[in-house]
Amino acid sequence: MVYQAVRRRSPQAEMILLGPAGNGKEPAYCWAYRKALHYYHRDDYAFHPVSGQELQASFHATKSAGTQLTDMNYDIHTGQILGLGGKIVAFLASLISASLPVTGTIIWWGRRNKAKKPRKLQTA
């Protein structure tokens, strides 16, 4: 019943995610995504847990710019928003970020254990 209502309200959706109904007192949530495995362009729905009546609907086109940016959070951080090139850039940025503490420790350890050179006396 919920799936059919979402499919009717968002016919362009390639992916629909149904949330758990919980204990029967909280609304059942559902999200309809325009593209499969892209989470930034979605319509949000809330349904009564017993009757299945639609309580709330929030469509992507009517969301504020801030809410749309919040919806893009996962896709931005994984690079998915720019496709394969974005994923490669995100991977390289993550790899470099993860290597910084390791390389910093190696440099610090090397400087700490460096043999001290004897100082030459200068003659005037």
Side-chain angles (χ1 to χ4, degrees):
M1 182 170 167
V2 170
Y3 177 80
Q4 293 167 348
V6 172
R7 180 54 71 194
R8 193 171 43 253
R9 298 281 307 263
S10 297
Q12 76 286 356
E14 289 183 8
M15 183 173 76
I16 295 176
L17 178 65
L18 300 169
N23 58 6
K25 296 179 182 176
E26 299 174 4
Y29 294 100
C30 185
W31 302 272
Y33 299 95
R34 171 90 31 121
K35 285 180 74 178
L37 302 177
H38 286 264
Y39 300 97
Y40 61 90
H41 195 286
R42 74 172 192 233
D43 299 332
D44 305 327
Y45 297 94
F47 293 92
H48 190 275
V50 177
S51 68
Q53 179 184 5
E54 184 179 306
L55 301 175
Q56 183 181 2
S58 176
F59 298 100
H60 177 77
T62 61
K63 292 180 182 178
S64 68
T67 303
Q68 288 180 3
L69 185 63
T70 302
D71 289 349
M72 287 183 201
N73 190 29
Y74 178 79
D75 293 319
I76 290 171
H77 283 87
T78 59
Q80 191 164 328
I81 200 158
L82 298 176
L84 181 60
K87 288 181 182 183
I88 292 170
V89 168
F91 169 75
L92 293 174
S94 299
L95 186 64
I96 290 169
S97 298
S99 71
L100 289 176
V102 175
T103 57
T105 302
I106 290 170
I107 292 170
W108 169 77
W109 189 263
R111 288 184 181 170
R112 183 173 167 243
N113 293 328
K114 185 187 254 185
K116 295 187 179 185
K117 295 180 182 177
R119 295 179 75 195
K120 292 183 180 181
L121 296 174
Q122 294 180 356
T123 56

